[in-house]
Amino acid sequence: MAGSVTFTMIKPDAVGNNHIGAILQKINEAGFRIKAMKYTKLSAEAAGQFYAVHSARPFYNDLVSYMSSGPIVAAILEKDNAVADFRELIGATDPTKAAPGTIRALFAKSIEANAIHGSDSDENAQIEGNFFFSGLERF
Ligand code: CMP
């Protein structure tokens, strides 16, 4: 059965361009409930840990610099079929390929500064959520 929780980050480009409110509105309108939320900034070390799965990729160093360049909003979201439905809501990684109306089509600047992250599996949703939030902070 599909999991009911996913993890998201609103990335530095979208935060810096004042898109937090518009993005959260789209998330709520799509039926997701916010279970935990944090406005914070990643150190380069923390960004490197979060994206360690991409450490062999050519874009890794730039990604780590970018993700630690400014504040982000991290959140745990709940909805039936959360992981798949959220990835549909945010659109393709490359905003030039994202479907019209998706969050990345509306707000992303580039394949790197692509406005928002969404977990790619139920397992990663748990791992990524735990990276930012302890069990006590969830309700
Ligand atoms: P995200 O969904 O957060 O997961 C990994 C991130 O790496 C991705 O969004 C992009 O921000 C970035 N990324 C993926 N592919 C590329 C690429 N080809 N060039 C630069 N950045 C990329």
Side-chain angles (χ1 to χ4, degrees):
M1 188 182 140
S4 63
V5 164
T6 193
F7 171 80
T8 189
M9 270 190 288
I10 303 176
K11 298 188 179 185
D13 59 298
V15 173
N17 288 312
N18 274 339
H19 294 316
I20 295 173
I23 290 173
L24 292 179
Q25 185 173 0
K26 285 197 75 72
I27 289 171
N28 281 147
E29 284 174 356
F32 291 88
R33 296 192 66 80
I34 296 165
K35 302 300 288 182
M37 177 169 279
K38 190 179 281 184
Y39 181 92
T40 187
K41 185 171 181 294
L42 290 167
S43 64
E45 185 184 11
Q49 283 171 12
F50 184 87
Y51 280 114
V53 66
H54 295 304
S55 60
R57 309 288 286 274
F59 57 81
Y60 177 71
N61 287 340
D62 284 346
L63 178 63
V64 168
S65 312
Y66 163 65
M67 287 301 299
S68 55
S69 68
I72 57 113
V73 175
I76 294 172
L77 306 173
E78 185 180 71
K79 180 184 181 295
D80 287 349
N81 201 36
V83 167
D85 285 2
F86 194 71
R87 286 174 75 81
E88 190 174 333
L89 177 67
I90 67 178
T93 304
D94 180 348
T96 66
K97 297 181 180 144
T102 59
I103 290 173
R104 283 170 170 158
L106 289 168
F107 300 114
K109 295 275 167 224
S110 68
I111 193 167
E112 177 179 80
N114 64 353
I116 193 160
H117 169 81
S119 303
D120 64 4
S121 67
D122 294 340
E123 185 189 5
N124 283 337
Q126 293 297 324
I127 293 168
E128 292 170 0
N130 288 338
F131 188 90
F132 283 91
F133 302 99
S134 79
L136 286 176
E137 289 171 305
R138 294 193 195 181
F139 56 90

